[in-house]
Amino acid sequence: MMLIHSYRWEFCRPPNPGAGHLRGVAHLDGDITAILPQLNRVLRGHLYFPEPPSLTIKYQAKLITFYPRQIAINILKDETEAEQIIRWLRDIINDTWEKRQEIQPRFEVVQPSRMVEILKMLPRTNCGDCGYATCLILAVQINEGNASLSDCPHL
């Protein structure tokens, strides 16, 4: 049994007049809300939110966001690339739907990034005394749990 049979495309250009890429939204013929937690596991989601339901993944320098009846894709070269990606995703969605009883759902909600707050605490001198080239890189490492504020010798 397939969850998604067909879709309808809607394309637009970003507000930047010089942008040479498209944004695309595939309007789905089925509701994928029930499968989003399993897709979060299968596709190693980047951002998952149960309410309102959505899942965002990173794929080939693109952000792809799944909504109950839509899939939005940014930075598309053209409609051909969009079609290739959506066919691939449709197959994954339908395969995940078929195997949903075997796939452990992943409900983790990503906590908002603390990077800006962390960066504000750092001296922002990019001195490199902490072992990282810039304060921003140290902030990213702290945010991801790979470093701590105590790694900055100037605090």
Side-chain angles (χ1 to χ4, degrees):
M1 185 173 105
M2 291 175 50
L3 186 60
I4 301 299
H5 296 276
S6 63
Y7 47 86
R8 176 184 50 83
W9 277 109
E10 181 180 336
F11 294 100
C12 69
R13 293 264 178 217
N16 175 1
H21 60 274
L22 294 171
R23 291 180 182 167
V25 176
H27 299 274
L28 309 175
D29 68 343
D31 186 331
I32 62 173
T33 303
I35 201 74
L36 287 178
Q38 284 86 352
L39 285 173
N40 190 24
R41 170 85 53 206
V42 169
L43 294 171
R44 296 186 177 115
H46 179 63
L47 296 172
Y48 171 73
F49 296 101
E51 288 302 323
S54 70
L55 170 65
T56 300
I57 65 168
K58 293 179 180 180
Y59 174 74
Q60 295 181 348
K62 297 168 188 358
L63 290 178
I64 300 173
T65 303
F66 300 81
Y67 300 100
R69 292 188 163 271
Q70 297 177 337
I71 299 175
I73 308 172
N74 74 348
I75 314 177
L76 291 163
K77 287 187 292 190
D78 53 32
E79 293 179 19
T80 301
E81 181 185 41
E83 193 61 32
Q84 291 170 344
I85 292 171
I86 201 67
R87 285 182 182 169
W88 170 70
L89 291 172
R90 182 189 61 193
D91 292 346
I92 288 175
I93 290 168
N94 288 331
D95 187 55
T96 302
W97 179 250
E98 288 293 321
K99 297 175 181 173
R100 67 189 177 278
Q101 300 301 327
E102 306 163 25
I103 300 169
Q104 180 69 34
R106 186 170 154 228
F107 294 100
E108 288 86 24
V109 176
V110 174
Q111 296 300 316
S113 175
R114 302 176 308 131
M115 233 178 47
V116 173
E117 290 82 19
I118 294 168
L119 188 58
K120 286 179 182 177
M121 291 186 262
L122 297 172
R124 294 176 296 214
T125 58
N126 299 328
C127 65
D129 292 345
C130 62
Y132 295 98
T134 66
C135 292
L136 178 60
I137 295 172
L138 177 58
V140 168
Q141 293 301 313
I142 293 170
N143 189 58
E144 292 178 357
N146 300 323
S148 70
L149 283 172
S150 64
D151 291 332
C152 177
H154 303 286
L155 290 182

